[in-house]
Amino acid sequence: MNAGKSQREPWIVGVSGASGTPYAAAVLRALIAAGESVDLVVSRASRLTLLDETGISFRDAHWRDDLAQWLARGADGKPDTFAVDVSGVRYWSAGDLAAGPSSGSYPVKGMLIVPASTACVAGVALGLSKDLLQRAASVTLKERRTLVVAVRETPLNGQTLRHLVALDDAGASVVPASPAFYAGATHIQDLVDFVAGRVLDAAGVPHDLYRRWKGELRGGNG
């Protein structure tokens, strides 16, 4: 082993089919801005959601161009809002169960599922591993690595709540996609960034996506 060559240790970002692809984009941009390596898994269902919410088709053969277009888009739908270098991202097809993240010996820091659908939550909680996203999450849990699940659904029924409790018991952090307003949001991007920031907080990744509470009331001014 070359002592001078550091080992790549990425965060896995799994994007499931729930509404909320702007949340995933904000998390990905912030990870890249923090200098983190990223392994990306996009479920089949999330491709339909992405197409519906943004008009962008995510294709295996053109994933880098499609990802760059997606991450450049603001939460308000405006293209070319952000300049993002996606060269540090590695993409794995959701159907590739022989991919690196399917094994516990593949070095990663942890995994963020954003947004997480109730179907994804159930699959991970039950250990179904029906695709690479679920398999990577199961591996993350068994290896005792950081797993953050940003569930995006309302209302939540009893079965889903039990699945979320099971994930919490297994060591995952459950972060509902619930924007807050104390940070002085004036734009839809601010609300999206707050949720993305809380996901990154749970993972211990530094960011400056929102203004933190400091115990001082602002009275709704500026």
Side-chain angles (χ1 to χ4, degrees), residues 7-216:
Q7 178 175 252
R8 183 177 181 273
E9 195 174 11
W11 285 97
I12 303 171
V13 176
V15 186
S16 81
S19 177
T21 55
Y23 293 131
V27 166
L28 287 164
R29 284 193 298 265
L31 286 171
I32 293 169
E36 299 285 351
S37 297
V38 174
D39 277 21
L40 178 63
V41 181
V42 178
S43 76
R44 292 180 62 186
S46 68
R47 296 173 189 240
L48 297 176
T49 307
L50 182 63
L51 180 63
D52 185 53
E53 294 184 344
T54 70
I56 297 171
S57 296
F58 196 91
R59 304 158 294 177
D60 283 353
H62 305 281
W63 71 266
R64 196 176 297 277
D65 291 338
D66 297 337
L67 177 63
Q69 183 184 2
W70 175 25
L71 299 191
R73 188 183 186 92
D76 59 1
K78 292 181 180 178
D80 302 320
T81 300
F82 300 98
V84 185
D85 179 6
V86 300
S87 61
V89 178
R90 185 172 186 178
Y91 170 71
W92 301 94
S93 173
D96 185 3
L97 290 176
S102 68
S103 172
S105 66
Y106 183 76
V108 302
K109 291 183 177 179
M111 182 173 184
L112 317 176
I113 305 177
V114 54
S117 66
T118 54
C120 174
V121 166
V124 177
L126 297 173
L128 298 182
S129 296
K130 74 171 187 176
D131 62 8
L132 180 60
L133 195 159
Q134 292 185 12
R135 171 59 185 170
S138 294
V139 168
T140 301
L141 288 175
K142 81 179 182 69
E143 296 294 328
R144 299 297 191 266
R145 295 167 179 157
T146 298
L147 175 63
V148 183
V149 179
V151 61
R152 213 306 307 166
E153 185 59 270
T154 190
L156 296 171
N157 63 28
Q159 192 64 56
T160 298
L161 290 169
R162 285 187 283 273
H163 289 151
L164 292 173
V165 169
L167 290 177
D168 179 78
D169 288 343
S173 294
V174 176
V175 181
S178 302
F181 296 86
Y182 63 78
T186 58
H187 190 278
I188 186 174
Q189 189 67 55
D190 298 327
L191 298 174
V192 168
D193 285 348
F194 179 86
V195 172
R198 296 300 286 152
V199 170
L200 294 169
D201 287 345
V205 177
H207 66 87
D208 58 359
L209 289 177
Y210 68 88
R211 190 188 74 236
R212 298 182 181 277
W213 175 250
K214 297 181 179 178
E216 299 175 0

